[in-house]
Structures are given as structure tokens and as C-alpha cells.
């Protein structure tokens, strides 16, 4: 049986035993390390926001959400048990860019930044220091906060609003070199606090409304459910970002590192007409999962409807990544370029909870895809061990021949390293959205994943009435997290909880008086 056809449970079982047997007969399809060193590799980093690995074929998902990617994966390294750095954009992106966990970089809340000591030890600074030209763009406001924090090391930081459909020609003309500041000022002066300029705000309101109406009318047939948006009426179409990357691919000095963080499949889920009804009435069945103690109270019907809309949106992402990859390949732009395809976090439609960034750390919201496409690779390599977002930066540095700084907490990914960095040590994740620098973490959700078991501790939430709440799952036997084991395995809970406590004490030490 081919590794890609194994069930999720079989993959987890094999990951505990090590996957050398799975990959050893496939390593010949990778280019030789010496060949990779003949000239520096360009790096094209593509992040699709809120993309859950649990919605892919290799996770046993009943819908074929990404048929094009399934074909492209035949010449990729595919990571089957890969974990994000958080359950929403800020911590997840900060982990991607620094190779550190949230309890280290401390970017816990929306629009927060990483600690000062990491400002010169990030993806862009490390590659720029190695002679790379660096480029970055994102639709996402939270991710943009981090890109702005690292802007001193980004040679081309593409203004966020430049790929929105409703960008302002007036503000573009007046503030073309400081586009995001201009839009922030526009919103504050004309929208948020109209009393500052009553006449101007009224004129702007009418002008803006007419412009939005023109834009939505122009795309009504192509996007009958409405245009994708990055908050409010910041409308965009993914085709514009794809075209931008394709058009710019041959214009940057080499070697280059390009980081492109694009919103789909992030909500609102608004695919074009050709994908809007892809999975309607398809008969797909999904397990009923118990309501969580921190449930938002959403009904099963609502969650299933949201899931279907999300899966339709994934088809849009699949189509656009296929167009991006094949266009770059046809142009010869991938002959010396490593393509990294991943996400900052996943998405959730279960237990009465929808979307992401909530208090829970269940698999759909923290397991994300990771595909590496190496130039010259001729076949597929499947990696089944647990890997994490922390490992991507040190792996890219390894392939570029640059040592990782001491601040980086991840390790080199297999098959470039002999084994997965976290194969025999725990992986921690902390969701502490109410913790602000320089506070220690005292409330939130803490998770440890170790040797197939996953313990999650909830503390400080109003619903818990002052008591911690635990969830324990054996992911090897129960990848859907249907059977909660904390009551039947108190000794394992105590053992893993001690690991969480040790991690918290270490990470909180600098922030305690």
C-alpha cells in the first residue's frame, strides 16, 4: 500500500515507530544535496490562511477538496502530521517567521508583536543577512503587523491594500509610499471618528459607498455569494495575488525569498460561481462530536453549512495554487526555487464551535498542511512523524547553508534530518489571547503532544468557575478526538500536566517580578 493511501490512524501509528521504512525507498527522487548547494536556492513561501489539514485526503476527509494539489503532490515532500504555532494568525504567523513557540515569542493576542529580542532573528533578517533579496505581502491585517515589525529586513514589502479591489486612488496618489498608514488614517479620520471632519466624512461616505456598489456589481456574476474580503469591505480576488506573484517572479534579484500570506480559505467563505456549489448535497458524512464545555452553541446544521462553504472555498484555493505553480513551472521560474506551501492555522466546525482563534486546540484548528516542492524532485516523499511550524525556518536555513541562531527552537525537518525534531520530545502550544506583554501567562489553554497522546488544559475561563479542565486523547487510536480519556487515565494526565507546568514556569520566568 502506498503511504499516501494509509489511513490517518495508520499514519500516526507509523509515526511513533519512525517512517524511515516509508521514505527510504523514495529518497532517490530528491535532488542530491550537492546539487542543491551549487547555487543558492530561491525560496517562494506561500501561506493560505486558515487551511486545515483535516480537510485533505491524506487525513481521511470524505471530500476531495484539492484535486489539483493531489496531482502536484506527486513531486513534493508531503508532511502528514504537521502542527501550526497557534490557532489564529498572530501566534501562528509569528512562529513561522521566528521558529519559536508562542510562549517564547509572546505574540499571543490579535495585532500583537514578537518580543524585541526576536526582531533581528526572523525569516527576513536571516535570509537578507545571507545575501537574499526579500519580498513579502499579506492580505491579513494581523500578519501585516508582524511584517511591519520586520520591515527593516524586507527589501520589498508590498502594501497590503495594493491588491484590494477598493484601494483608494486619492490616498494612493497622496501617500503612495506609506499606503497602510494612509488607509489607517483614512479610516480613523473619515470613518471611525467622523466628528473630526464632518463635511469631509459625509462626502467620503457617499463616494466610498458608490465605489463599493460599483465593485460588487461588476463581480456579481463571478461571485454570486459576495466578494472575498479581508475584513469589512476590503474586497479582493485571489486571481490578482496569483497574477502578481507570477508577473513579479522574474523581476527580483536572485537569490530571493518571497513570503506571500494570502487570505483564502479564511472566512468569509465566498468562492467564485464555478465552485460555489461543488459539495452541495454530496452525501458526505461527518462524525458527531460532543459539545465542548466552552461551546459557542452553534447547531450541527449551521456547522455543516459552514463546513460545506469552507470546502467550496478550498476548491478556489486549489485552482489558484495550481495556476500559480504551473505558470511558474512553464516559465522556468522553479528550476532553482524551493516552494513552501503551508498555513498559519486551521479551521473548526465541530463541538458547537466555528472558525478559529477560540479557546480550544482541537486537531482541525492546529493541524495544517505542509508541502515542500524542491527543484529537480521527480517523485513524492511522505513524512509521517510529528513536525511543527517551528521547524520550517531552520530547515530553510539548512538548505541555504546558513546556521540557525540560538533563538530558533525548531529543528531541521526530515528527510533533510535523520528524524523529526519532536519525535521523542513533547510539543507545546499555548493560547493566551488575554495575556499582554510583559504579563506572565496565568489563564488560557495549554496543550502538550507527546508520543501520540495529547493533553489540553483550560484555566481561567468563566465557564470553569475557577477550576482547571482537562482533555486527554490518544491520537494514535482516536485521531478524530471522539473519546476523551482524562477520567480513565489520571496518571497520564498528571504526567503530561507536569510537563505543561514545567514549560509554563520556564517561559513565564522573565515576566515575573
Amino acid at each position: 500500500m502506498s503511504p499516501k493511501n494509509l489511513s490517518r490512524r495508520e499514519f500516526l501509528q507509523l509515526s511513533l515507530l519512525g517512517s524511515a521504512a516509508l521514505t527510504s525507498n523514495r529518497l532517490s527522487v530528491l535532488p542530491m544535496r550537492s546539487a542543491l548547494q551549487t547555487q543558492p536556492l530561491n525560496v517562494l513561501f506561500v501561506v493560505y490562511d486558515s487551511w486545515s489539514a483535516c480537510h485533505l485526503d491524506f487525513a481521511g476527509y470524505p471530500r476531495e477538496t484539492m484535486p489539483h494539489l493531489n496531482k502536484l503532490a506527486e513531486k513534493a515532500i508531503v508532511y502528514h502530521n504537521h502542527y501550526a504555532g497557534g490557532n489564529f494568525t498572530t501566534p501562528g504567523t509569528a512562529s513561522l517567521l521566528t521558529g519559536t513557540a508562542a510562549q517564547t515569542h509572546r505574540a499571543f493576542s490579535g495585532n500583537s508583536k514578537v518580543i524585541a529580542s526576536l526582531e533581528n532573528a526572523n525569516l527576513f533578517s536571516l535570509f537578507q543577512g545571507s545575501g537574499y533579496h526579500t519580498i513579502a505581502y499579506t492580505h491579513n491585517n494581523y500578519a501585516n503587523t508582524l511584517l511591519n515589525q520586520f520591515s527593516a529586513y524586507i527589501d520589498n514589502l508590498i502594501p497590503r491594500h495594493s491588491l484590494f479591489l477598493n484601494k483608494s486612488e486619492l490616498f494612493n496618489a497622496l501617500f503612495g509610499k506609506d499606503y497602510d498608514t494612509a488607509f489607517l488614517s483614512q479610516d480613523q479620520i473619515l470613518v471611525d471618528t467622523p466628528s473630526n471632519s464632518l463635511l469631509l466624512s459625509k462626502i467620503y461616505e457617499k463616494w466610498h459607498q458608490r465605489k463599493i456598489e460599483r465593485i460588487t456589481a461588476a463581480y456579481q456574476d463571478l461571485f454570486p455569494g459576495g466578494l472575498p474580503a479581508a475584513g469589512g469591505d476590503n474586497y479582493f480576488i485571489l486571481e490578482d495575488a496569483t497574477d502578481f506573484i507570477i508577473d513579479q517572479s522574474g523581476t527580483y534579484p536572485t537569490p530571493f525569498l518571497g513570503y506571500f500570506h494570502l487570505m483564502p480559505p479564511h472566512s468569509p467563505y465566498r468562492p467564485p460561481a464555478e465552485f460555489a456549489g461543488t459539495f452541495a448535497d454530496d452525501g458526505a458524512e461527518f462524525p458527531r462530536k460532543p459539545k465542548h464545555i466552552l461551546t459557542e452553541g452553534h447547531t450541527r446544521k449551521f456547522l455543516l453549512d459552514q463546513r460545506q462553504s469552507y470546502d467550496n472555498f478550498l476548491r478556489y484555493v486549489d485552482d489558484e495554487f495550481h495556476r500559480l505553480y504551473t505558470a511558474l513551472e512553464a516559465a522556468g521560474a522553479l528550476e532553482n526555487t524551493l516552494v513552501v506551501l503551508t498555513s498559519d492555522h486551521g479551521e473548526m466546525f465541530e463541538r458547537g464551535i466555528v472558525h478559529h482563534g477560540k479557546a480550544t486546540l482541537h486537531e482541525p484548528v492546529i493541524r495544517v498542511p505542509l508541502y515542500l516542492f524542491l527543484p529537480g524532485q521527480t517523485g513524492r516523499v511522505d513524512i509521517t512523524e510529528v513536525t511543527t511550524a517551528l521547524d520550517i525556518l531552520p530547515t530553510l536555513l539548512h538548505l541555504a547553508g546558513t546556521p540557525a541562531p540560538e533563538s530558533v527552537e525548531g529543528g531541521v525537518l526530515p528527510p533533510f534530518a535523520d528524524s523529526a525534531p519532536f519525535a521523542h520530545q513533547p510539543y507545546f502550544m499555548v493560547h493566551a489571547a488575554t495575556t499582554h506583554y510583559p504579563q506572565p501567562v496565568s489563564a488560557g489553554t495549554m496543550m502538550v503532544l507527546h508520543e501520540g497522546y495529547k493533553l489540553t488544559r483550560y484555566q481561567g475561563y468563566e465557564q470553569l468557575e475557577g477550576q482547571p479542565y482537562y482533555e486527554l486523547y490518544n491520537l494514535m487510536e482516536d485521531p478524530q478526538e471522539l473519546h476523551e480519556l482524562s477520567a480513565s487515565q489520571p496518571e497520564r494526565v498528571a504526567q503530561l500536566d507536569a510537563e505543561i507546568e514545567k514549560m509554563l514556569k520556564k517561559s513565564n520566568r522573565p515576566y515575573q517580578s
Side-chain angles (χ1 to χ4, degrees), residues 9-168:
R9 175 177 171 179
E10 289 169 324
F11 263 122
L12 283 164
Q13 289 173 328
L14 285 166
S15 72
L16 295 181
L17 300 174
S19 66
L22 285 177
T23 59
S24 60
N25 63 334
R26 293 174 173 261
L27 295 183
S28 61
V29 305
L30 294 177
M32 296 296 291
R33 181 75 180 97
S34 58
L36 294 178
Q37 290 179 316
T38 56
Q39 54 182 320
L41 281 174
N42 301 317
V43 178
L44 177 60
F45 207 131
V46 182
V47 176
Y48 288 110
D49 204 299
S50 311
W51 182 20
S52 175
C54 295
H55 287 245
L56 294 175
D57 286 6
F58 66 61
Y61 200 62
R63 289 172 172 155
E64 189 179 25
T65 55
M66 309 198 82
H68 290 308
L69 181 58
N70 287 342
K71 295 177 181 177
L72 291 177
E74 292 307 313
K75 50 185 175 182
I77 306 172
V78 184
Y79 294 84
H80 293 261
N81 291 299
H82 186 72
Y83 285 84
N87 69 353
F88 73 103
T89 292
T90 297
T93 304
S95 289
L96 282 175
L97 297 180
T98 65
T100 63
Q103 59 269 22
T104 299
H105 62 60
R106 311 302 280 193
F108 287 128
S109 58
N111 262 342
S112 59
K113 300 178 181 180
V114 305
I115 57 175
S117 61
L118 295 177
E119 286 187 352
N120 61 354
N122 59 76
L123 177 73
F124 306 105
S125 64
L126 294 168
F127 272 85
Q128 190 185 69
S130 297
Y132 277 69
H133 184 84
T134 55
I135 313 105
Y137 173 78
T138 184
H139 288 128
N140 189 302
N141 185 51
Y142 287 175
N144 199 55
T145 295
L146 294 167
L147 295 186
N148 282 327
Q149 183 180 11
F150 303 142
S151 61
Y153 307 104
I154 304 175
D155 297 306
N156 288 84
L157 178 54
I158 313 303
R160 176 173 170 253
H161 284 82
S162 63
L163 294 182
F164 290 167
L165 295 174
N166 57 324
K167 54 183 176 288
S168 168

Side-chain angles (χ1 to χ4, degrees), residues 261-450:
H261 185 140
L262 310 176
M263 279 291 280
H266 192 289
S267 61
Y269 315 128
R270 297 171 181 170
E274 63 185 298
F275 302 120
T278 300
F279 299 110
D281 302 318
D282 65 345
E285 296 184 359
F286 304 95
R288 289 182 175 271
K289 299 188 179 181
K291 289 286 181 72
H292 194 265
I293 193 171
L294 301 179
T295 180
E296 297 173 323
H298 296 299
T299 66
R300 178 171 171 80
K301 182 182 184 306
F302 174 80
L303 294 173
L304 288 173
D305 288 345
Q306 288 286 295
R307 179 189 291 270
Q308 180 179 300
S309 297
Y310 175 78
D311 290 343
N312 292 339
F313 212 22
L314 282 175
R315 285 297 307 272
Y316 183 36
V317 173
D318 179 61
D319 200 58
E320 282 302 296
F321 179 74
H322 177 256
R323 189 167 72 86
L324 171 66
Y325 189 93
T326 53
L328 294 176
E329 185 177 45
L334 301 183
E335 292 177 1
N336 193 45
T337 299
L338 165 64
V339 178
V340 181
L341 176 63
T342 191
S343 186
D344 53 344
H345 58 83
E347 200 80 324
M348 185 164 166
F349 308 95
E350 60 182 47
R351 306 172 198 274
I353 299 169
V354 70
H355 301 158
H356 58 268
K358 312 303 168 61
T360 65
L361 296 174
H362 292 95
E363 293 289 278
V365 82
I366 62 172
R367 273 191 65 233
V368 296
L370 175 61
Y371 295 79
L372 300 184
F373 297 86
L374 281 167
Q377 185 171 341
T378 58
R380 175 173 174 146
V381 175
D382 292 277
I383 303 298
T384 64
E385 297 104 315
V386 170
T387 58
T388 80
L390 281 58
D391 307 327
I392 297 177
L393 176 55
T395 301
L396 297 181
L397 292 171
H398 173 75
L399 293 175
T402 300
E406 291 184 1
S407 61
V408 169
E409 296 174 328
V412 176
L413 290 164
F416 310 108
D418 293 336
S419 62
F422 291 94
H424 302 292
Q425 57 181 304
Y427 177 58
F428 300 98
M429 188 178 294
V430 174
H431 173 77
T434 60
T435 299
H436 301 283
Y437 184 85
Q439 296 175 336
V441 176
S442 59
T445 309
M446 302 84 188
M447 182 207 84
V448 58
L449 178 64
H450 193 210

